[in-house]
Amino acid sequence: MFPAALLLALASLATVPAPSAANARTPDVAQSLAALAAPRAGEREEAERWLALHLSSSDFAAVAEFLPRAEFEARARLAQALGADARHFDLARRLALSSDVAVRTCGVRATRTLVERWLGAPDGPPTADLGGERLTRDAALTFRLRLDGRSLEELVDLVARRAGRAGGVLEGGEPVPVWIDLGLAADAERPFEGSAALLGPWDELLTSLASAFDARVTLYGSADGRAFAMLSRRASGAVPGSVTEWLLVRSRVALEAPDAGERERAARALAVADFPPALALLAERWREQADPAMLSGLALAAARGRVASELVSQDAARALVRRAETALAAGGSRARFLAAECARALANVRDALDGSRPLDVLGEGLDGASLAARTWRLRAARLAGANVPALDALARELVLADPPVGARAPDVERALAAAAAFEYLAARGLAAGLAFAEPAAWLAAESARGRGPTFVAAWARAGLALPDAWRRPELGPELAFAVFAAGWDGASAEPATVARFRAALRTDALSLATADAWLEEWRQSGRRDGVAALVDAALASAVDASERDALERLEARLGRVQGARAKELGERWLAASEPDWVALGSLAASPVGVQVRQRLTAALAALGEPANAAAAGPAGPAGPLGRGIERAFAVLYAAGNELGASDFERRLAAVLPKGVPGPLERFAEARAAGAWPVSPSRRPIDLAAKDLQDGF
């Protein structure tokens, strides 16, 4: 590591012009290499400084020829010169892959110097297990990760972009990059088969994710520096011994490979490391060779916020657009993931310093673009906040288009395109005054993707009246309450408003849970009085017994049932064979709180009995009983009843001992991992939610 004085000297030398002719450098390089063995120390130091400033990858042959016959000090000075600047990573890497011991030793030493400057500490073997003392995590952050149909590559990207910055950090606050070893990378592109979801803090989430794909996690780094987690095959041999070794092994195997897929996997593996020399190498290779594999790595890095300067141009933006549209045309499980990655990369590309606007290319060639490509361009432009006049015209055309003549059913692809066009226009403030053709079909298409409430909210923010077709209760509770929320001011309890609220509220548990979530969100946003007035008015106007019962359960969920009324309702629900467990848990600190906690514990214990094994179902802690127990803990702590909470915890511990078999195993595992019970203040963060909001 250079002292400060030497760094200042290097900075002052940076203004010295290099020889203009390429062939003029060879004698200078040869002379400076020879001067590393000069008799005077000053000459040797001057040669080292010159080499640190002027060496490049094109000097590989000269350096490789010099090293085998050089003395120890000359080799050490050359390694130090190469390690002084990230630009020398490619040259150092190539030297490290040599079969000659002297050449290889110098290259490895230079690479390690670059790595240690990045780490801020000595490079070494794997450190503690994931989640050890090296990592900190916010105990209030629990994440949910749905595996359904996603590849390990996409899931790791979600963990790194979302959970890594929020909950997986070093003590200094730096997020931990997650790399996929190349031995696993090809399999990592295949989608997960089946339906599953993971729940827990960052490190446990990553460990569970690796297990789901039969992989393992290894943590590298230093106790006071940076770190990264690497996923590799569980059945593979020894993992690389250091960050330096990992970089060299991976670049040796793949960056020079004739197979484009192998090169791309290596480029993507290097891109996620946040290792500046590696990113510079990918940029140089793409600039000089126009290798799409290198662009893939640069796109991944840019999507995560590391934008190479080579991407800040219209030519680079065109390349990213082509990459996204090629993926969409090819289809397959990775198409959406790669297209979304390119959109995020473009969103992070700033305007070029020369005054050109890279994102203007989104408006080029629209006439020849497919409908899927046009839809992607609209979503990408909205995500980036780009002002592209050609897209304004395209968006108006899509939202005003009538259905094809003779069409028996809505065209889903066309509906998604129109929905994306509407959201683009709304974000640009251009939606007002337009007469839309098929908003019902647009909502149906977006709802099928899980974006129904998001789309309704975008419609409301645009100041548009809600279509009558969106008010049908059969659309489901999530959409019903999204539509109600879009038309409610947070304060009104007029008869018409109450009637719409009652129409949205059904008596089933899913509808109550949805209403609970919406109303609690409104309460937290300062509309507590409005929520109280709305629920009171609905109760006063309810005549049907089942509707009144649903509203009473909702009141309990909202914490509005106290004293004698809590005792009355609690006794009624305790007598029911299958009560609303969340409503019952909401009374855990009431006059019947002891009986409520006993009933919840007994119901959990009953799931372990052979006769009730089927009743446990696949829901586990995420089911009604698990959420009811969570609510009970939240209510006890909110009321300051720590003795009651401690007693409840002891009862749970007796029912869920370590290693409990059968249907209770999922409850016990979640409890041991700290993923359950989770209070409302620690509601799991859905890692895919923001991507859905962005349209991807």
Side-chain angles (χ1 to χ4, degrees):
M1 198 70 66
F2 283 106
L6 187 51
L7 288 174
L8 289 173
L10 287 174
S12 66
L13 286 172
T15 58
V16 178
S20 58
N23 59 359
R25 291 186 67 262
T26 303
D28 292 334
V29 170
Q31 291 170 11
S32 296
L33 289 171
L36 290 175
R40 293 176 52 204
E43 293 180 24
R44 298 196 295 273
E45 291 176 1
E46 184 179 353
E48 180 183 330
R49 288 196 295 269
W50 191 94
L51 291 167
L53 287 169
H54 296 89
L55 278 177
S56 70
S57 296
S58 62
D59 298 315
F60 171 76
V63 174
E65 181 183 355
F66 165 76
L67 280 168
R69 51 187 173 80
E71 297 294 333
F72 175 81
E73 182 186 349
R75 296 198 301 271
R77 285 187 177 277
L78 181 56
Q80 194 161 325
L82 291 170
D85 195 312
R87 294 180 299 107
H88 301 322
F89 174 62
D90 190 32
L91 177 55
R93 180 191 66 87
R94 293 174 63 191
L95 294 171
L97 304 180
S98 172
S99 58
D100 184 272
V101 175
V103 177
R104 183 170 66 251
T105 301
C106 179
V108 169
R109 184 172 178 179
T111 304
R112 179 170 289 111
T113 300
L114 291 169
V115 167
E116 290 179 346
R117 291 177 61 197
W118 172 59
L119 289 174
D123 187 19
T127 57
D129 291 337
L130 194 65
E133 294 182 358
R134 299 202 54 267
L135 289 174
T136 63
R137 67 172 188 244
D138 187 337
L141 292 178
T142 300
F143 302 99
R144 178 182 290 113
L145 183 64
R146 298 189 303 275
L147 307 187
D148 313 32
R150 289 185 168 92
S151 66
L152 177 61
E153 177 186 36
E154 182 175 2
L155 292 164
V156 166
D157 178 69
L158 275 173
V159 170
R161 284 190 296 110
R162 303 281 181 231
R165 292 195 174 275
V169 298
L170 295 175
E171 293 177 2
E174 284 293 321
V176 178
V178 183
W179 297 4
I180 299 177
D181 182 78
L182 285 193
L184 182 65
D187 290 341
E189 297 174 1
R190 302 192 186 103
F192 180 82
E193 296 181 1
S195 177
L198 304 177
L199 185 72
W202 178 86
D203 52 345
E204 291 162 9
L205 189 75
L206 190 59
T207 302
S208 299
L209 177 59
S211 178
F213 284 84
D214 196 28
R216 63 179 174 183
V217 182
T218 308
L219 186 69
Y220 291 84
S222 58
D224 56 350
R226 297 175 61 88
F228 74 88
M230 186 181 76
L231 274 70
S232 58
R233 289 186 185 278
R234 187 186 299 277
S236 64
V239 297
S242 66
V243 179
T244 300
E245 183 182 339
W246 192 93
L247 287 166
L248 296 177
V249 169
R250 294 310 150 206
S251 61
R252 175 195 298 131
V253 169
L255 276 187
E256 319 290 343
D259 179 69
E262 196 170 352
R263 291 199 308 277
E264 180 177 8
R265 286 189 286 272
R268 293 178 70 82
L270 292 175
V272 302
D274 278 353
F275 182 51
L279 187 61
L281 170 61
L282 299 180
E284 180 182 342
R285 291 288 182 89
W286 183 61
R287 182 178 62 249
E288 295 179 353
Q289 303 171 11
D291 186 350
M294 303 302 110
L295 178 63
S296 179
L298 293 174
L300 175 57
R304 298 189 182 186
R306 294 284 186 178
V307 181
S309 59
E310 284 77 2
L311 289 186
V312 188
S313 71
Q314 290 196 339
D315 286 342
R318 289 188 187 97
L320 288 172
V321 171
R322 285 194 301 271
R323 172 175 166 76
E325 295 182 354
T326 299
L328 290 171
S333 59
R334 296 183 77 214
R336 176 186 53 81
F337 166 56
L338 294 179
E341 178 182 278
C342 289
R344 285 191 290 270
L346 285 170
N348 288 328
V349 170
R350 64 188 186 281
D351 286 350
L353 297 178
D354 62 3
S356 65
R357 291 159 47 88
L359 299 191
D360 281 355
V361 304
L362 291 170
E364 297 176 354
L366 290 175
D367 291 340
S370 67
L371 184 58
R374 294 180 180 190
T375 304
W376 175 84
R377 292 192 189 202
L378 288 167
R379 290 176 180 154
R382 182 173 65 84
L383 181 62
N387 176 9
V388 184
L391 290 181
D392 294 353
L394 170 65
R396 288 192 180 91
E397 175 187 333
L398 288 172
V399 299
L400 298 176
D402 291 320
V405 178
R408 296 183 178 180
D411 184 326
V412 174
E413 185 180 10
R414 195 174 64 81
L416 288 173
F422 160 73
E423 290 189 302
Y424 169 84
L425 291 172
R428 299 260 293 114
L430 303 174
L434 296 178
F436 301 108
E438 293 184 282
W442 307 348
L443 178 61
E446 288 296 324
S447 296
R449 301 175 61 218
R451 296 190 70 248
T454 301
F455 187 77
V456 170
W459 188 277
R461 283 195 302 270
L464 302 172
L466 298 173
D468 291 337
W470 292 11
R471 299 185 184 276
R472 300 194 309 271
E474 60 266 27
L475 289 176
E478 194 174 38
L479 270 181
F481 276 99
V483 170
F484 173 76
W488 187 49
D489 60 6
S492 172
E494 297 296 324
T497 301
V498 174
R500 289 200 301 272
F501 173 70
R502 291 173 58 198
L505 179 67
R506 313 296 286 273
T507 60
D508 59 280
L510 178 60
S511 181
L512 282 174
T514 306
D516 182 11
W518 276 103
L519 292 172
E520 183 59 32
E521 184 175 330
W522 283 322
R523 280 157 52 99
Q524 295 297 329
S525 65
R527 301 175 185 175
R528 184 174 296 270
D529 292 341
V531 169
L534 180 67
V535 175
D536 287 343
L539 264 170
S541 58
V543 293
D544 182 79
S546 61
E547 181 186 7
R548 185 169 185 82
D549 177 67
L551 285 165
E552 288 172 340
R553 287 150 53 200
L554 182 59
E555 270 202 305
R557 286 166 174 255
L558 292 171
R560 300 187 66 239
V561 176
Q562 307 292 333
R565 190 153 178 266
K567 185 175 184 296
E568 175 194 347
L569 292 177
E571 289 174 347
R572 185 205 309 169
W573 294 339
L574 283 166
S577 59
E578 191 67 25
D580 181 331
W581 295 112
V582 179
L584 189 63
S586 301
L587 304 181
S590 73
V592 291
V594 174
Q595 297 94 310
V596 166
R597 301 195 295 272
Q598 290 173 346
R599 178 66 189 279
L600 289 168
T601 309
L604 183 64
L607 293 180
E609 298 175 3
N612 296 328
L625 180 57
R627 288 186 285 109
I629 292 172
E630 281 188 336
R631 181 62 60 90
F633 272 109
V635 167
L636 288 167
Y637 282 119
N641 189 349
E642 296 186 4
L643 289 177
S646 298
D647 175 69
F648 195 24
E649 172 62 31
R650 283 194 299 271
R651 292 177 181 274
L652 278 185
V655 174
L656 300 173
K658 187 175 181 181
V660 61
L664 293 180
E665 184 176 4
R666 292 184 62 189
F667 288 91
E669 289 179 346
R671 178 174 173 270
W676 176 84
V678 179
S679 72
S681 63
R682 293 177 54 203
R683 285 183 179 135
I685 300 170
D686 190 336
L687 294 182
K690 191 174 189 305
D691 288 348
L692 284 173
Q693 291 172 6
D694 293 340
F696 293 102

